[in-house]
Amino acid sequence: MAQISQDSSTRFHSGDYGALKEVVAVYQEPLFRIGLKLLGNPDDAKDFCQDVFLHAWKQREFYNPERPFQPWFFQLAFNLGRGMLRKRKRVVPEEYAEPQSVDETAHASVVVGEKSLRVQALLQQLKPMYRECLALRFESDLKLEEIAEVLGVSTGTVKTRLRRGLMAFKELYIRNGGEE
């Protein structure tokens, strides 16, 4: 995943709107995917993205430009995501209507979409601490040390949560008709 430069993070810290635009351009897509994994539907993921960017901009004075930007940004994002999850009960992803007539390409696209929805629904059944680790590792491509910094836990704890999260996901996937 792309990252912003040290110069951009310094400019962001000082309030440069151009740096904010760069942050949005670099992190919008991965942040949306994380929001989708955490919250379960595209509308909430879009709201999550907007809230994170707005909050990051307001909190930029607390960012130390001598440290890497990405862990600080994702820590802020996950704290907001946790708050959103606490405010509501269990989330079930939206279901999409099946198309009336499809050609082979569209059919393949629908199958991929259905698998994606099934995976999303299964992820929502995992404990939030496992979902967070999985999203940071596989959606944001963060290293274990960076995940530990974002979540405020040890690297060993991250490894354990990733392993347990993957095992729990695999068990749910197989139990719900997925191939091993």
Side-chain angles (χ1 to χ4, degrees), residues 124-171:
Q124 293 302 309
Q125 295 177 37
L126 297 178
K127 291 181 179 179
M129 67 179 164
Y130 297 151
R131 263 196 329 258
E132 292 171 352
C133 278
L134 292 171
L136 284 170
R137 179 68 188 109
F138 298 109
E139 291 297 331
S140 300
D141 201 29
L142 293 183
K143 296 176 185 166
L144 298 178
E145 297 79 20
E146 293 172 323
I147 296 170
E149 187 177 337
V150 167
L151 298 177
V153 298
S154 71
T155 304
T157 300
V158 170
K159 289 178 184 178
T160 301
R161 288 180 182 179
L162 282 172
R163 188 182 82 250
R164 288 180 181 171
L166 286 170
M167 288 172 30
F169 178 81
K170 180 180 178 183
E171 182 181 313

mmCIF file of all heavy atoms in Angstrom, residues 124-171:
data_model
loop_
_atom_site.group_PDB
_atom_site.id
_atom_site.type_symbol
_atom_site.label_atom_id
_atom_site.label_comp_id
_atom_site.label_asym_id
_atom_site.label_seq_id
_atom_site.Cartn_x
_atom_site.Cartn_y
_atom_site.Cartn_z
ATOM 1 N N GLN A 124 -18.174 -10.361 10.138
ATOM 2 C CA GLN A 124 -18.964 -9.656 11.141
ATOM 3 C C GLN A 124 -19.262 -10.526 12.356
ATOM 4 O O GLN A 124 -19.586 -10.012 13.423
ATOM 5 C CB GLN A 124 -20.271 -9.137 10.531
ATOM 6 C CG GLN A 124 -20.073 -8.048 9.510
ATOM 7 C CD GLN A 124 -19.351 -6.853 10.085
ATOM 8 O OE1 GLN A 124 -19.726 -6.323 11.121
ATOM 9 N NE2 GLN A 124 -18.290 -6.433 9.429
ATOM 10 N N GLN A 125 -19.145 -11.846 12.197
ATOM 11 C CA GLN A 125 -19.401 -12.751 13.314
ATOM 12 C C GLN A 125 -18.176 -12.937 14.210
ATOM 13 O O GLN A 125 -18.285 -13.487 15.300
ATOM 14 C CB GLN A 125 -19.872 -14.110 12.783
ATOM 15 C CG GLN A 125 -21.216 -14.035 12.073
ATOM 16 C CD GLN A 125 -21.628 -15.378 11.499
ATOM 17 O OE1 GLN A 125 -21.386 -16.411 12.096
ATOM 18 N NE2 GLN A 125 -22.255 -15.346 10.346
ATOM 19 N N LEU A 126 -17.015 -12.482 13.748
ATOM 20 C CA LEU A 126 -15.799 -12.583 14.556
ATOM 21 C C LEU A 126 -15.793 -11.512 15.640
ATOM 22 O O LEU A 126 -16.424 -10.459 15.491
ATOM 23 C CB LEU A 126 -14.560 -12.408 13.678
ATOM 24 C CG LEU A 126 -14.310 -13.441 12.594
ATOM 25 C CD1 LEU A 126 -13.059 -13.059 11.802
ATOM 26 C CD2 LEU A 126 -14.158 -14.828 13.192
ATOM 27 N N LYS A 127 -15.043 -11.769 16.689
ATOM 28 C CA LYS A 127 -14.871 -10.758 17.729
ATOM 29 C C LYS A 127 -14.188 -9.537 17.108
ATOM 30 O O LYS A 127 -13.322 -9.678 16.247
ATOM 31 C CB LYS A 127 -13.999 -11.305 18.859
ATOM 32 C CG LYS A 127 -14.650 -12.393 19.669
ATOM 33 C CD LYS A 127 -13.719 -12.863 20.774
ATOM 34 C CE LYS A 127 -14.372 -13.941 21.598
ATOM 35 N NZ LYS A 127 -13.459 -14.426 22.660
ATOM 36 N N PRO A 128 -14.562 -8.327 17.543
ATOM 37 C CA PRO A 128 -13.959 -7.113 16.974
ATOM 38 C C PRO A 128 -12.430 -7.112 17.022
ATOM 39 O O PRO A 128 -11.790 -6.646 16.084
ATOM 40 C CB PRO A 128 -14.545 -5.987 17.826
ATOM 41 C CG PRO A 128 -15.858 -6.522 18.283
ATOM 42 C CD PRO A 128 -15.627 -7.999 18.493
ATOM 43 N N MET A 129 -11.836 -7.651 18.084
ATOM 44 C CA MET A 129 -10.369 -7.630 18.169
ATOM 45 C C MET A 129 -9.737 -8.471 17.059
ATOM 46 O O MET A 129 -8.656 -8.155 16.570
ATOM 47 C CB MET A 129 -9.880 -8.088 19.542
ATOM 48 C CG MET A 129 -10.143 -9.523 19.872
ATOM 49 S SD MET A 129 -9.463 -9.850 21.505
ATOM 50 C CE MET A 129 -10.288 -11.374 21.875
ATOM 51 N N TYR A 130 -10.406 -9.527 16.618
ATOM 52 C CA TYR A 130 -9.896 -10.336 15.511
ATOM 53 C C TYR A 130 -10.123 -9.620 14.179
ATOM 54 O O TYR A 130 -9.262 -9.598 13.313
ATOM 55 C CB TYR A 130 -10.562 -11.717 15.480
ATOM 56 C CG TYR A 130 -10.287 -12.563 16.705
ATOM 57 C CD1 TYR A 130 -11.207 -13.512 17.129
ATOM 58 C CD2 TYR A 130 -9.127 -12.416 17.453
ATOM 59 C CE1 TYR A 130 -10.969 -14.292 18.248
ATOM 60 C CE2 TYR A 130 -8.882 -13.191 18.567
ATOM 61 C CZ TYR A 130 -9.807 -14.129 18.967
ATOM 62 O OH TYR A 130 -9.572 -14.901 20.082
ATOM 63 N N ARG A 131 -11.318 -9.037 14.018
ATOM 64 C CA ARG A 131 -11.628 -8.289 12.794
ATOM 65 C C ARG A 131 -10.633 -7.160 12.579
ATOM 66 O O ARG A 131 -10.167 -6.926 11.463
ATOM 67 C CB ARG A 131 -13.036 -7.696 12.878
ATOM 68 C CG ARG A 131 -14.085 -8.508 12.195
ATOM 69 C CD ARG A 131 -15.373 -7.758 11.940
ATOM 70 N NE ARG A 131 -15.759 -6.737 12.858
ATOM 71 C CZ ARG A 131 -16.685 -6.880 13.804
ATOM 72 N NH1 ARG A 131 -17.302 -8.014 13.971
ATOM 73 N NH2 ARG A 131 -16.996 -5.873 14.587
ATOM 74 N N GLU A 132 -10.324 -6.438 13.649
ATOM 75 C CA GLU A 132 -9.390 -5.320 13.551
ATOM 76 C C GLU A 132 -8.023 -5.785 13.046
ATOM 77 O O GLU A 132 -7.462 -5.198 12.125
ATOM 78 C CB GLU A 132 -9.222 -4.646 14.914
ATOM 79 C CG GLU A 132 -10.439 -3.937 15.398
ATOM 80 C CD GLU A 132 -10.320 -3.462 16.830
ATOM 81 O OE1 GLU A 132 -9.340 -3.800 17.521
ATOM 82 O OE2 GLU A 132 -11.232 -2.745 17.263
ATOM 83 N N CYS A 133 -7.508 -6.831 13.673
ATOM 84 C CA CYS A 133 -6.190 -7.342 13.270
ATOM 85 C C CYS A 133 -6.203 -7.819 11.818
ATOM 86 O O CYS A 133 -5.281 -7.529 11.054
ATOM 87 C CB CYS A 133 -5.751 -8.486 14.184
ATOM 88 S SG CYS A 133 -5.026 -7.922 15.724
ATOM 89 N N LEU A 134 -7.238 -8.556 11.446
ATOM 90 C CA LEU A 134 -7.324 -9.070 10.080
ATOM 91 C C LEU A 134 -7.418 -7.926 9.071
ATOM 92 O O LEU A 134 -6.774 -7.955 8.021
ATOM 93 C CB LEU A 134 -8.512 -10.023 9.934
ATOM 94 C CG LEU A 134 -8.389 -11.353 10.688
ATOM 95 C CD1 LEU A 134 -9.715 -12.119 10.646
ATOM 96 C CD2 LEU A 134 -7.268 -12.197 10.130
ATOM 97 N N ALA A 135 -8.200 -6.910 9.386
ATOM 98 C CA ALA A 135 -8.350 -5.777 8.468
ATOM 99 C C ALA A 135 -7.040 -5.012 8.328
ATOM 100 O O ALA A 135 -6.650 -4.647 7.218
ATOM 101 C CB ALA A 135 -9.464 -4.844 8.944
ATOM 102 N N LEU A 136 -6.355 -4.786 9.431
ATOM 103 C CA LEU A 136 -5.086 -4.056 9.360
ATOM 104 C C LEU A 136 -4.029 -4.845 8.596
ATOM 105 O O LEU A 136 -3.249 -4.285 7.846
ATOM 106 C CB LEU A 136 -4.571 -3.737 10.762
ATOM 107 C CG LEU A 136 -5.281 -2.595 11.473
ATOM 108 C CD1 LEU A 136 -4.852 -2.531 12.933
ATOM 109 C CD2 LEU A 136 -5.000 -1.272 10.785
ATOM 110 N N ARG A 137 -4.028 -6.153 8.761
ATOM 111 C CA ARG A 137 -3.013 -6.973 8.091
ATOM 112 C C ARG A 137 -3.324 -7.169 6.612
ATOM 113 O O ARG A 137 -2.469 -7.006 5.760
ATOM 114 C CB ARG A 137 -2.901 -8.345 8.793
ATOM 115 C CG ARG A 137 -1.892 -9.261 8.157
ATOM 116 C CD ARG A 137 -0.479 -8.719 8.363
ATOM 117 N NE ARG A 137 0.470 -9.483 7.599
ATOM 118 C CZ ARG A 137 1.091 -9.027 6.515
ATOM 119 N NH1 ARG A 137 0.874 -7.810 6.091
ATOM 120 N NH2 ARG A 137 1.941 -9.775 5.873
ATOM 121 N N PHE A 138 -4.564 -7.535 6.303
ATOM 122 C CA PHE A 138 -4.880 -7.934 4.936
ATOM 123 C C PHE A 138 -5.470 -6.818 4.082
ATOM 124 O O PHE A 138 -5.369 -6.857 2.865
ATOM 125 C CB PHE A 138 -5.781 -9.171 4.933
ATOM 126 C CG PHE A 138 -5.110 -10.354 5.566
ATOM 127 C CD1 PHE A 138 -5.512 -10.824 6.799
ATOM 128 C CD2 PHE A 138 -4.041 -10.974 4.941
ATOM 129 C CE1 PHE A 138 -4.871 -11.898 7.395
ATOM 130 C CE2 PHE A 138 -3.388 -12.052 5.520
ATOM 131 C CZ PHE A 138 -3.808 -12.517 6.758
ATOM 132 N N GLU A 139 -6.089 -5.829 4.685
ATOM 133 C CA GLU A 139 -6.624 -4.710 3.907
ATOM 134 C C GLU A 139 -5.631 -3.556 3.832
ATOM 135 O O GLU A 139 -5.513 -2.906 2.814
ATOM 136 C CB GLU A 139 -7.948 -4.202 4.496
ATOM 137 C CG GLU A 139 -9.084 -5.176 4.348
ATOM 138 C CD GLU A 139 -9.446 -5.454 2.902
ATOM 139 O OE1 GLU A 139 -9.259 -4.585 2.030
ATOM 140 O OE2 GLU A 139 -9.917 -6.568 2.635
ATOM 141 N N SER A 140 -4.921 -3.310 4.928
ATOM 142 C CA SER A 140 -3.990 -2.186 4.960
ATOM 143 C C SER A 140 -2.553 -2.619 4.747
ATOM 144 O O SER A 140 -1.679 -1.784 4.596
ATOM 145 C CB SER A 140 -4.089 -1.462 6.304
ATOM 146 O OG SER A 140 -5.384 -0.978 6.480
ATOM 147 N N ASP A 141 -2.319 -3.920 4.795
ATOM 148 C CA ASP A 141 -0.991 -4.480 4.552
ATOM 149 C C ASP A 141 0.047 -3.933 5.531
ATOM 150 O O ASP A 141 1.189 -3.682 5.174
ATOM 151 C CB ASP A 141 -0.564 -4.218 3.104
ATOM 152 C CG ASP A 141 0.520 -5.176 2.648
ATOM 153 O OD1 ASP A 141 0.553 -6.312 3.173
ATOM 154 O OD2 ASP A 141 1.338 -4.800 1.799
ATOM 155 N N LEU A 142 -0.378 -3.727 6.782
ATOM 156 C CA LEU A 142 0.556 -3.254 7.796
ATOM 157 C C LEU A 142 1.399 -4.417 8.311
ATOM 158 O O LEU A 142 0.949 -5.562 8.333
ATOM 159 C CB LEU A 142 -0.194 -2.628 8.981
ATOM 160 C CG LEU A 142 -0.945 -1.334 8.735
ATOM 161 C CD1 LEU A 142 -1.561 -0.833 10.030
ATOM 162 C CD2 LEU A 142 -0.053 -0.271 8.146
ATOM 163 N N LYS A 143 2.602 -4.104 8.747
ATOM 164 C CA LYS A 143 3.476 -5.094 9.369
ATOM 165 C C LYS A 143 2.983 -5.347 10.793
ATOM 166 O O LYS A 143 2.260 -4.529 11.371
ATOM 167 C CB LYS A 143 4.911 -4.575 9.399
ATOM 168 C CG LYS A 143 5.484 -4.372 8.018
ATOM 169 C CD LYS A 143 6.863 -3.762 8.104
ATOM 170 C CE LYS A 143 7.361 -3.469 6.695
ATOM 171 N NZ LYS A 143 8.525 -2.605 6.709
ATOM 172 N N LEU A 144 3.401 -6.473 11.363
ATOM 173 C CA LEU A 144 2.952 -6.836 12.709
ATOM 174 C C LEU A 144 3.279 -5.744 13.727
ATOM 175 O O LEU A 144 2.456 -5.421 14.589
ATOM 176 C CB LEU A 144 3.572 -8.165 13.140
ATOM 177 C CG LEU A 144 3.198 -9.378 12.288
ATOM 178 C CD1 LEU A 144 3.920 -10.619 12.785
ATOM 179 C CD2 LEU A 144 1.700 -9.600 12.287
ATOM 180 N N GLU A 145 4.465 -5.169 13.623
ATOM 181 C CA GLU A 145 4.871 -4.115 14.559
ATOM 182 C C GLU A 145 3.978 -2.887 14.415
ATOM 183 O O GLU A 145 3.641 -2.238 15.402
ATOM 184 C CB GLU A 145 6.343 -3.726 14.331
ATOM 185 C CG GLU A 145 7.325 -4.842 14.590
ATOM 186 C CD GLU A 145 7.437 -5.849 13.445
ATOM 187 O OE1 GLU A 145 7.060 -5.532 12.289
ATOM 188 O OE2 GLU A 145 7.889 -6.976 13.707
ATOM 189 N N GLU A 146 3.604 -2.561 13.187
ATOM 190 C CA GLU A 146 2.732 -1.409 12.955
ATOM 191 C C GLU A 146 1.327 -1.670 13.493
ATOM 192 O O GLU A 146 0.703 -0.779 14.073
ATOM 193 C CB GLU A 146 2.676 -1.084 11.461
ATOM 194 C CG GLU A 146 3.992 -0.584 10.897
ATOM 195 C CD GLU A 146 3.986 -0.444 9.386
ATOM 196 O OE1 GLU A 146 3.376 -1.290 8.693
ATOM 197 O OE2 GLU A 146 4.602 0.518 8.887
ATOM 198 N N ILE A 147 0.851 -2.889 13.326
ATOM 199 C CA ILE A 147 -0.465 -3.250 13.873
ATOM 200 C C ILE A 147 -0.431 -3.130 15.385
ATOM 201 O O ILE A 147 -1.359 -2.598 16.002
ATOM 202 C CB ILE A 147 -0.872 -4.675 13.439
ATOM 203 C CG1 ILE A 147 -1.045 -4.750 11.921
ATOM 204 C CG2 ILE A 147 -2.165 -5.104 14.143
ATOM 205 C CD1 ILE A 147 -1.219 -6.154 11.379
ATOM 206 N N ALA A 148 0.647 -3.615 15.994
ATOM 207 C CA ALA A 148 0.786 -3.525 17.449
ATOM 208 C C ALA A 148 0.739 -2.073 17.905
ATOM 209 O O ALA A 148 0.075 -1.744 18.893
ATOM 210 C CB ALA A 148 2.089 -4.192 17.881
ATOM 211 N N GLU A 149 1.405 -1.202 17.161
ATOM 212 C CA GLU A 149 1.406 0.219 17.508
ATOM 213 C C GLU A 149 0.016 0.826 17.354
ATOM 214 O O GLU A 149 -0.448 1.568 18.222
ATOM 215 C CB GLU A 149 2.410 0.971 16.629
ATOM 216 C CG GLU A 149 2.591 2.409 17.021
ATOM 217 C CD GLU A 149 3.644 3.125 16.193
ATOM 218 O OE1 GLU A 149 4.533 2.455 15.625
ATOM 219 O OE2 GLU A 149 3.567 4.355 16.111
ATOM 220 N N VAL A 150 -0.664 0.481 16.269
ATOM 221 C CA VAL A 150 -2.014 1.014 16.029
ATOM 222 C C VAL A 150 -2.970 0.584 17.139
ATOM 223 O O VAL A 150 -3.747 1.390 17.650
ATOM 224 C CB VAL A 150 -2.554 0.540 14.656
ATOM 225 C CG1 VAL A 150 -4.039 0.817 14.538
ATOM 226 C CG2 VAL A 150 -1.798 1.214 13.522
ATOM 227 N N LEU A 151 -2.906 -0.685 17.517
ATOM 228 C CA LEU A 151 -3.855 -1.220 18.494
ATOM 229 C C LEU A 151 -3.398 -1.034 19.939
ATOM 230 O O LEU A 151 -4.167 -1.291 20.867
ATOM 231 C CB LEU A 151 -4.108 -2.705 18.217
ATOM 232 C CG LEU A 151 -4.740 -3.027 16.857
ATOM 233 C CD1 LEU A 151 -4.866 -4.537 16.676
ATOM 234 C CD2 LEU A 151 -6.091 -2.349 16.708
ATOM 235 N N GLY A 152 -2.151 -0.632 20.137
ATOM 236 C CA GLY A 152 -1.640 -0.442 21.492
ATOM 237 C C GLY A 152 -1.433 -1.745 22.244
ATOM 238 O O GLY A 152 -1.684 -1.815 23.449
ATOM 239 N N VAL A 153 -1.022 -2.785 21.522
ATOM 240 C CA VAL A 153 -0.767 -4.090 22.135
ATOM 241 C C VAL A 153 0.616 -4.565 21.697
ATOM 242 O O VAL A 153 1.253 -3.960 20.840
ATOM 243 C CB VAL A 153 -1.844 -5.137 21.734
ATOM 244 C CG1 VAL A 153 -3.228 -4.706 22.219
ATOM 245 C CG2 VAL A 153 -1.862 -5.362 20.235
ATOM 246 N N SER A 154 1.069 -5.676 22.267
ATOM 247 C CA SER A 154 2.380 -6.211 21.897
ATOM 248 C C SER A 154 2.303 -6.936 20.551
ATOM 249 O O SER A 154 1.228 -7.333 20.095
ATOM 250 C CB SER A 154 2.872 -7.182 22.970
ATOM 251 O OG SER A 154 2.110 -8.372 22.934
ATOM 252 N N THR A 155 3.460 -7.131 19.939
ATOM 253 C CA THR A 155 3.534 -7.863 18.671
ATOM 254 C C THR A 155 3.059 -9.301 18.871
ATOM 255 O O THR A 155 2.379 -9.863 18.008
ATOM 256 C CB THR A 155 4.977 -7.850 18.121
ATOM 257 O OG1 THR A 155 5.397 -6.491 18.004
ATOM 258 C CG2 THR A 155 5.059 -8.512 16.753
ATOM 259 N N GLY A 156 3.395 -9.890 20.010
ATOM 260 C CA GLY A 156 2.929 -11.247 20.314
ATOM 261 C C GLY A 156 1.415 -11.333 20.362
ATOM 262 O O GLY A 156 0.820 -12.302 19.890
ATOM 263 N N THR A 157 0.784 -10.310 20.935
ATOM 264 C CA THR A 157 -0.681 -10.269 20.993
ATOM 265 C C THR A 157 -1.259 -10.179 19.582
ATOM 266 O O THR A 157 -2.260 -10.835 19.272
ATOM 267 C CB THR A 157 -1.155 -9.083 21.851
ATOM 268 O OG1 THR A 157 -0.630 -9.237 23.173
ATOM 269 C CG2 THR A 157 -2.673 -8.992 21.901
ATOM 270 N N VAL A 158 -0.628 -9.389 18.722
ATOM 271 C CA VAL A 158 -1.084 -9.272 17.333
ATOM 272 C C VAL A 158 -1.001 -10.631 16.650
ATOM 273 O O VAL A 158 -1.946 -11.056 15.973
ATOM 274 C CB VAL A 158 -0.263 -8.217 16.561
ATOM 275 C CG1 VAL A 158 -0.562 -8.276 15.065
ATOM 276 C CG2 VAL A 158 -0.542 -6.828 17.101
ATOM 277 N N LYS A 159 0.127 -11.322 16.812
ATOM 278 C CA LYS A 159 0.285 -12.651 16.205
ATOM 279 C C LYS A 159 -0.802 -13.603 16.680
ATOM 280 O O LYS A 159 -1.393 -14.333 15.880
ATOM 281 C CB LYS A 159 1.659 -13.230 16.543
ATOM 282 C CG LYS A 159 2.809 -12.554 15.854
ATOM 283 C CD LYS A 159 4.129 -13.167 16.302
ATOM 284 C CE LYS A 159 5.315 -12.460 15.708
ATOM 285 N NZ LYS A 159 6.589 -13.031 16.195
ATOM 286 N N THR A 160 -1.064 -13.580 17.979
ATOM 287 C CA THR A 160 -2.102 -14.456 18.543
ATOM 288 C C THR A 160 -3.472 -14.114 17.981
ATOM 289 O O THR A 160 -4.231 -15.002 17.582
ATOM 290 C CB THR A 160 -2.109 -14.342 20.081
ATOM 291 O OG1 THR A 160 -0.825 -14.723 20.581
ATOM 292 C CG2 THR A 160 -3.188 -15.221 20.696
ATOM 293 N N ARG A 161 -3.796 -12.834 17.936
ATOM 294 C CA ARG A 161 -5.108 -12.423 17.420
ATOM 295 C C ARG A 161 -5.261 -12.759 15.939
ATOM 296 O O ARG A 161 -6.345 -13.173 15.513
ATOM 297 C CB ARG A 161 -5.330 -10.933 17.643
ATOM 298 C CG ARG A 161 -5.580 -10.585 19.091
ATOM 299 C CD ARG A 161 -5.797 -9.101 19.281
ATOM 300 N NE ARG A 161 -5.984 -8.771 20.680
ATOM 301 C CZ ARG A 161 -6.173 -7.542 21.130
ATOM 302 N NH1 ARG A 161 -6.209 -6.519 20.294
ATOM 303 N NH2 ARG A 161 -6.319 -7.329 22.423
ATOM 304 N N LEU A 162 -4.194 -12.584 15.179
ATOM 305 C CA LEU A 162 -4.261 -12.950 13.758
ATOM 306 C C LEU A 162 -4.487 -14.447 13.603
ATOM 307 O O LEU A 162 -5.344 -14.875 12.829
ATOM 308 C CB LEU A 162 -2.982 -12.538 13.031
ATOM 309 C CG LEU A 162 -2.854 -11.069 12.668
ATOM 310 C CD1 LEU A 162 -1.456 -10.771 12.131
ATOM 311 C CD2 LEU A 162 -3.897 -10.665 11.652
ATOM 312 N N ARG A 163 -3.727 -15.245 14.323
ATOM 313 C CA ARG A 163 -3.864 -16.699 14.223
ATOM 314 C C ARG A 163 -5.267 -17.139 14.653
ATOM 315 O O ARG A 163 -5.934 -17.890 13.947
ATOM 316 C CB ARG A 163 -2.792 -17.401 15.074
ATOM 317 C CG ARG A 163 -2.765 -18.910 14.850
ATOM 318 C CD ARG A 163 -1.736 -19.622 15.714
ATOM 319 N NE ARG A 163 -2.298 -19.845 17.042
ATOM 320 C CZ ARG A 163 -1.908 -19.224 18.153
ATOM 321 N NH1 ARG A 163 -0.952 -18.354 18.132
ATOM 322 N NH2 ARG A 163 -2.491 -19.490 19.307
ATOM 323 N N ARG A 164 -5.720 -16.649 15.788
ATOM 324 C CA ARG A 164 -7.047 -17.034 16.278
ATOM 325 C C ARG A 164 -8.153 -16.508 15.373
ATOM 326 O O ARG A 164 -9.156 -17.179 15.146
ATOM 327 C CB ARG A 164 -7.250 -16.532 17.708
ATOM 328 C CG ARG A 164 -6.419 -17.304 18.705
ATOM 329 C CD ARG A 164 -6.624 -16.808 20.107
ATOM 330 N NE ARG A 164 -5.787 -17.549 21.034
ATOM 331 C CZ ARG A 164 -5.624 -17.215 22.302
ATOM 332 N NH1 ARG A 164 -6.239 -16.153 22.807
ATOM 333 N NH2 ARG A 164 -4.839 -17.933 23.072
ATOM 334 N N GLY A 165 -7.973 -15.300 14.855
ATOM 335 C CA GLY A 165 -8.957 -14.737 13.933
ATOM 336 C C GLY A 165 -9.059 -15.548 12.658
ATOM 337 O O GLY A 165 -10.160 -15.822 12.168
ATOM 338 N N LEU A 166 -7.919 -15.938 12.107
ATOM 339 C CA LEU A 166 -7.928 -16.757 10.894
ATOM 340 C C LEU A 166 -8.538 -18.127 11.157
ATOM 341 O O LEU A 166 -9.306 -18.643 10.332
ATOM 342 C CB LEU A 166 -6.498 -16.909 10.344
ATOM 343 C CG LEU A 166 -5.931 -15.664 9.666
ATOM 344 C CD1 LEU A 166 -4.443 -15.845 9.386
ATOM 345 C CD2 LEU A 166 -6.692 -15.343 8.394
ATOM 346 N N MET A 167 -8.218 -18.714 12.299
ATOM 347 C CA MET A 167 -8.794 -20.024 12.632
ATOM 348 C C MET A 167 -10.308 -19.916 12.817
ATOM 349 O O MET A 167 -11.059 -20.764 12.329
ATOM 350 C CB MET A 167 -8.132 -20.586 13.896
ATOM 351 C CG MET A 167 -6.697 -21.037 13.653
ATOM 352 S SD MET A 167 -5.731 -21.520 15.117
ATOM 353 C CE MET A 167 -6.899 -22.137 16.261
ATOM 354 N N ALA A 168 -10.756 -18.875 13.504
ATOM 355 C CA ALA A 168 -12.197 -18.686 13.718
ATOM 356 C C ALA A 168 -12.913 -18.438 12.394
ATOM 357 O O ALA A 168 -13.997 -18.976 12.150
ATOM 358 C CB ALA A 168 -12.446 -17.522 14.685
ATOM 359 N N PHE A 169 -12.288 -17.643 11.516
ATOM 360 C CA PHE A 169 -12.882 -17.384 10.216
ATOM 361 C C PHE A 169 -12.971 -18.670 9.407
ATOM 362 O O PHE A 169 -14.006 -18.959 8.804
ATOM 363 C CB PHE A 169 -12.097 -16.326 9.437
ATOM 364 C CG PHE A 169 -12.676 -16.083 8.078
ATOM 365 C CD1 PHE A 169 -13.772 -15.252 7.927
ATOM 366 C CD2 PHE A 169 -12.165 -16.720 6.959
ATOM 367 C CE1 PHE A 169 -14.340 -15.039 6.677
ATOM 368 C CE2 PHE A 169 -12.718 -16.519 5.708
ATOM 369 C CZ PHE A 169 -13.808 -15.678 5.572
ATOM 370 N N LYS A 170 -11.900 -19.441 9.384
ATOM 371 C CA LYS A 170 -11.893 -20.695 8.626
ATOM 372 C C LYS A 170 -12.987 -21.629 9.127
ATOM 373 O O LYS A 170 -13.709 -22.237 8.330
ATOM 374 C CB LYS A 170 -10.525 -21.375 8.749
ATOM 375 C CG LYS A 170 -10.440 -22.682 7.989
ATOM 376 C CD LYS A 170 -9.071 -23.318 8.145
ATOM 377 C CE LYS A 170 -9.021 -24.663 7.419
ATOM 378 N NZ LYS A 170 -7.716 -25.318 7.623
ATOM 379 N N GLU A 171 -13.127 -21.731 10.434
ATOM 380 C CA GLU A 171 -14.169 -22.592 11.010
ATOM 381 C C GLU A 171 -15.562 -22.126 10.585
ATOM 382 O O GLU A 171 -16.397 -22.935 10.167
ATOM 383 C CB GLU A 171 -14.056 -22.580 12.536
ATOM 384 C CG GLU A 171 -15.046 -23.478 13.231
ATOM 385 C CD GLU A 171 -14.895 -23.396 14.741
ATOM 386 O OE1 GLU A 171 -13.754 -23.481 15.224
ATOM 387 O OE2 GLU A 171 -15.935 -23.250 15.420
#
